[in-house]
Amino acid sequence: MIKLADVWVLILLFSSAVQSADTVIHAGQLIDVTSNSVRSNVSVVITDDRIAAVRDGWISPAAGQRLIDLRGHTLMPGFIDMHVHLSGELDPPHSYSEGFYLNSADLALRASAYASLTLRAGFTTVRDLGANDVEAIKALKTAINSGLVEGPRIFMAGKAIATTGGHGDPTNGIRSDLRGDPGPKDGVINSAQDAFKAVRQRYKDGSDVIKLTVTGGVLSLAKSGDNPQFTDDELQAVVAAAKDYNFNVAVHAHGAEGMKRAVDAGIDSVEHGTYMTEEIMSLMKTKGTWYVPTISAGKWVAKLSEEEGKFPAVVRPKAAAVGPLIQDTFSRAYAAGVNIAFGTDAGVSPHGRNAEEFIFMVEAGMPVLEAIRSATLNASILLGQDDRLGSIEQGKLADLVAVKGDPMSDVSTLLSPSFVMKGGQIYVNETPSSK
């Protein structure tokens, strides 16, 4: 007679076997970003969190293997957005006062909702480039890594580094008796010595990347949207300190002079790049500097600038002037051969609509396949994670996204993923024939 305890043992053994069983995906099309080609009728085998095999043809699953039928779909590597801000979403004028009444817990819980939207939009990895509340974004990252909440893999910058009064000084616009004198810990530096302390603080905070605001910005409560805001000495010190800790350095930049100084100093990526000149493009190609365009944010702030009362008076003219230009800058940079990695600045533009950036890139002259590559292999190279992310290859993490139909003929299909897998776990599966 079988005892109840024996039944439970059998159930546990069966459950364990099911969890570790391979998954076989039959893809009608597969985007091979390493060869810039589209393959037809391909099988992908997943074991645990990794891609175990990629084979031509539709192989028959073995006993115990799960089959995901994507024969009417196009399968791609999980998308990577290299510029997001998960802890908030631009909702002026409320966005300018919420720092006075939201706690870390509020921000972390809100960010978890935005993280879920982002993952379900097909973005399995993001680079969070600046959060005023470091503990909130760090808590979210930890919760996602622990499997407590769903969201993309996060590489975080923590608090961005600015100069006094610059874009990123957290006390801009605050009444004088509340401003204080923020320093490197708060993300404000004014010397090479401060630069080293700021970078080391980010290391202490658990950051993965350094973010600088090297020119004025659109949304800060300061007059200029494009003036240079770091000296050469300060930039060189940041880059030197970052190298000591194996950090990449990403720089917010609209104006040409601040951008040029940063590229000269050896930073890794220029974000936005609105007033990028041909000289800077040439310098970026020589230095191997990446460009992360964020067209979505430019279009969004330009739209909001047309609405009366949305932005503070000092912000509205900057949004109207800068926002509409980014797509044209992207077009010129692509034509010039600058290295491009995908980024939206989601949090300025709405979360979960990250894939609209693909449409804007294609409108500006980039072929669909190259736009997808910018959000997969290119992004993984800039992130320093191309050994495990960015392409569908044996041994890499099983981060996959599929859309119904063919994005090569209709890029808008990328807005509606029907299948999303991150690290072997399925988060979206609108394929009823899968078993």
Side-chain angles (χ1 to χ4, degrees):
M1 182 176 179
I2 299 177
K3 297 179 180 179
L4 183 60
D6 294 330
V7 173
W8 278 113
V9 169
L10 290 170
I11 291 172
L12 289 171
L13 287 173
F14 177 77
S15 175
S16 176
V18 169
Q19 289 175 3
S20 62
D22 292 348
T23 297
V24 176
I25 297 174
H26 288 171
Q29 289 193 142
L30 182 146
I31 303 296
D32 186 340
V33 292
T34 59
S35 64
N36 277 336
S37 64
V38 181
R39 296 168 60 178
S40 298
N41 302 348
V42 180
S43 295
V44 180
V45 180
I46 312 298
T47 300
D48 298 323
D49 64 345
R50 300 276 171 170
I51 298 169
V54 182
R55 299 179 184 172
D56 290 330
W58 293 328
I59 64 174
S60 298
Q65 289 183 325
R66 172 177 52 180
L67 174 64
I68 305 294
D69 185 358
L70 297 176
R71 287 177 295 177
H73 297 70
T74 299
L75 186 67
M76 295 159 283
F79 300 142
I80 302 171
D81 191 329
M82 293 296 283
H83 193 132
V84 304
H85 302 279
L86 286 173
S87 58
E89 189 170 89
L90 182 63
D91 181 25
H94 309 292
S95 304
Y96 286 89
S97 61
E98 65 183 23
F100 291 100
Y101 57 85
L102 290 183
N103 296 307
S104 291
D106 300 309
L107 294 170
L109 286 169
R110 183 173 70 178
S112 69
Y114 295 145
S116 177
L117 287 173
T118 302
L119 176 60
R120 289 177 173 272
F123 289 81
T124 53
T125 300
V126 299
R127 194 172 62 162
D128 190 285
L129 279 190
N132 285 334
D133 193 312
V134 177
E135 293 308 313
I137 198 66
K138 187 176 180 180
L140 174 63
K141 175 182 174 180
T142 300
I144 290 172
N145 290 345
S146 302
L148 297 175
V149 298
E150 67 175 39
R153 199 173 288 103
I154 296 174
F155 293 83
M156 58 175 262
K159 178 68 182 71
I161 301 172
T163 54
T164 294
H167 182 69
D169 182 335
T171 63
N172 282 340
I174 297 175
R175 75 185 205 201
S176 59
D177 62 318
L178 295 179
R179 287 179 197 162
D181 186 19
K185 183 176 180 179
D186 309 298
V188 178
I189 71 169
N190 290 286
S191 69
Q193 185 175 1
D194 279 355
F196 270 84
K197 185 172 183 179
V199 170
R200 289 165 178 164
Q201 181 66 47
R202 270 106 202 106
Y203 174 74
K204 183 177 179 179
D205 291 341
S207 295
D208 304 295
V209 60
I210 300 298
K211 163 77 176 296
L212 302 182
T213 56
V214 302
T215 76
V218 170
L219 297 177
S220 52
L221 295 172
K223 183 178 180 180
S224 178
D226 63 343
N227 71 311
Q229 298 188 338
F230 279 76
T231 67
D232 290 332
D233 287 348
E234 289 163 347
L235 289 166
Q236 289 161 9
V238 169
V239 171
K243 286 182 179 178
D244 284 347
Y245 293 91
N246 294 317
F247 285 129
N248 276 0
V249 180
V251 301
H252 155 106
H254 290 298
E257 178 58 30
M259 204 183 311
K260 182 175 182 295
R261 291 181 194 177
V263 175
D264 264 328
I267 56 89
D268 296 282
S269 68
V270 170
E271 317 290 312
H272 319 306
T274 308
Y275 296 105
M276 188 184 296
T277 64
E278 290 184 9
E279 178 191 10
I280 294 171
M281 292 177 192
S282 178
L283 183 62
M284 289 174 70
K285 290 169 64 177
T286 299
K287 293 269 192 176
T289 313
W290 289 84
Y291 175 38
V292 180
T294 71
I295 305 168
S296 297
K299 286 184 174 291
W300 190 250
V301 299
K303 175 180 178 294
L304 292 180
S305 73
E306 297 172 357
E307 300 181 32
E308 191 71 37
K310 271 290 187 182
F311 284 131
V314 73
V315 171
R316 190 177 184 186
K318 294 187 293 179
V322 171
L325 301 179
I326 296 178
Q327 189 174 33
D328 179 67
T329 301
F330 165 81
S331 181
R332 291 186 294 106
Y334 170 67
V338 175
N339 290 331
I340 292 174
F342 184 101
T344 62
D345 208 357
V348 173
S349 54
H351 294 290
R353 290 165 56 177
N354 312 58
E356 289 181 351
E357 187 83 8
F358 289 117
I359 295 174
F360 302 146
M361 296 168 91
V362 171
E363 284 177 352
M366 178 178 271
V368 177
L369 188 56
E370 290 193 42
I372 293 171
R373 182 185 169 100
S374 79
T376 53
L377 186 60
N378 286 9
S380 73
I381 293 170
L382 173 54
L383 202 55
Q385 298 291 318
D386 51 307
D387 60 333
R388 66 190 194 117
L389 299 173
S391 60
I392 303 176
E393 295 182 88
Q394 183 178 359
K396 292 197 174 183
L397 286 170
D399 285 12
L400 303 167
V401 58
V403 298
K404 183 75 173 175
D406 182 11
M408 299 301 109
S409 58
D410 181 4
V411 66
S412 69
T413 60
L414 299 176
L415 298 173
S416 305
S418 50
F419 179 83
V420 177
M421 172 184 280
K422 188 191 86 173
Q425 183 173 345
I426 297 172
Y427 292 90
V428 175
N429 187 7
E430 299 175 1
T431 54
S433 60
S434 300
K435 59 183 179 180

